């Protein structure tokens, strides 16, 4: 059961993170072509690139855990890792979409 929980969270967050990851990669390449990669951009891109492989490793380890308690601990750590690396990019992209949506609403800037 614990590996199923972790894989479910990994797949769901992975599906949500695909467009976010594409936006982050495009922004990172854009900044890289200008020759100025900021610490903020590295702070957003690096955890995504490292966090998802760590979650996959934890999932594989939880499938082979010797005890159910160990499997649950690994699954919970994996879910926390995924939540931690996904929070900032998803909230930033969500705020960006909300800001664009507000412009078309009554009282907004309009086009």
């Amino acid at each position: 059961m614990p590996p199923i929980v972790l894989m479910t969270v990994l797949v769901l967050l992975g599906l949500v993170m695909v467009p976010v990851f594409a936006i982050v990669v495009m922004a990172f390449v854009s900044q890289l072509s200008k020759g100025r990669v900021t610490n903020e951009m590295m702070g957003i891109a690096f955890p995504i690139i490292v966090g998802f492989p760590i979650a996959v490793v934890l999932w594989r380890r939880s499938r082979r855990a010797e005890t159910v308690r160990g499997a649950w601990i690994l699954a919970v750590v994996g879910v926390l890792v995924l939540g931690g690396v996904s929070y900032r990019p998803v909230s930033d992209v969500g705020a960006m979409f909300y800001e664009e949506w507000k412009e078309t609403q009554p009282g907004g800037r309009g086009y």
Side-chain angles (χ1 to χ4, degrees):
M1 180 71 169
I4 294 171
V5 171
L6 179 56
M7 184 50 72
T8 302
V9 172
L10 182 64
V11 167
L12 290 176
L13 278 176
L15 290 174
V16 170
M17 290 294 292
V18 167
V20 172
F21 186 68
I23 291 170
V24 167
V25 167
M26 286 187 300
F28 188 74
V29 169
S30 171
Q31 293 294 324
L32 192 61
S33 68
K34 294 177 184 174
R36 55 173 192 204
V37 176
T38 62
N39 288 338
E40 183 180 359
M41 182 56 67
M42 287 300 292
I44 293 173
F46 186 71
I48 296 172
I49 294 168
V50 173
F52 277 86
I54 288 174
V56 170
V57 169
L58 287 171
W59 170 71
R60 291 192 66 197
R61 296 283 310 250
S62 70
R63 285 183 36 209
R64 295 186 174 101
E66 294 177 9
T67 63
V68 175
R69 180 179 180 204
W72 274 110
I73 290 172
L74 290 171
V76 168
V77 168
V79 168
L80 291 174
V81 165
L82 288 173
V85 302
S86 300
Y87 175 75
R88 173 109 188 259
V90 170
S91 64
D92 286 350
V93 171
M96 178 185 68
F97 284 132
Y98 175 68
E99 190 68 31
E100 289 298 318
W101 174 78
K102 277 192 333 186
E103 291 181 3
T104 61
Q105 300 307 305
R109 225 176 16 180
Y111 292 107

